[in-house]
Amino acid sequence: INRPLTEHLDFVISNEIFFNVNRVSWIITQTLDQNRAYAGLEQRLSTIHYLGAGYMNQYLSTPVRQFNHVLWLNWRIDLER
């Protein structure tokens, strides 16, 4: 979800949920594998270039539950414009 804050700056949130549909040896669960939640800001540099930064929390369903805290930096090119 992108919500404009100014003409060139957006607030961005997303959530990705990964399910284990094929039973592979390195994943112990039969359902939820991981969840990634992200919140950040994205600055429009030109009509197709964007620069973003934010925080991602990643939950991994492993024998010892893992929560990873990630500082996320990205450069995005929108080829549909």
Side-chain angles (χ1 to χ4, degrees):
I1 298 172
N2 287 20
R3 293 289 178 234
L5 297 175
T6 68
E7 184 179 344
H8 297 285
L9 186 67
D10 292 346
F11 177 67
V12 180
I13 59 172
S14 67
N15 191 36
E16 298 175 287
I17 300 173
F18 296 82
F19 292 99
N20 181 16
V21 292
N22 295 321
R23 187 81 172 138
V24 292
S25 61
W26 62 87
I27 298 175
I28 63 159
T29 65
Q30 294 181 358
T31 56
L32 178 67
D33 177 38
Q34 64 178 286
N35 185 23
R36 297 178 188 169
Y38 172 80
L41 297 173
E42 187 172 74
Q43 174 75 40
R44 182 179 311 153
L45 302 175
S46 70
T47 55
I48 63 169
H49 295 274
Y50 297 84
L51 184 63
Y55 168 77
M56 178 186 292
N57 181 277
Q58 180 185 36
Y59 165 75
L60 297 172
S61 183
T62 58
V64 176
R65 304 291 188 220
Q66 292 182 352
F67 287 93
N68 297 320
H69 305 282
V70 181
L71 175 60
W72 187 265
L73 301 172
N74 68 331
W75 172 42
R76 181 172 67 89
I77 301 173
D78 187 354
L79 298 176
E80 294 183 3
R81 292 191 180 232

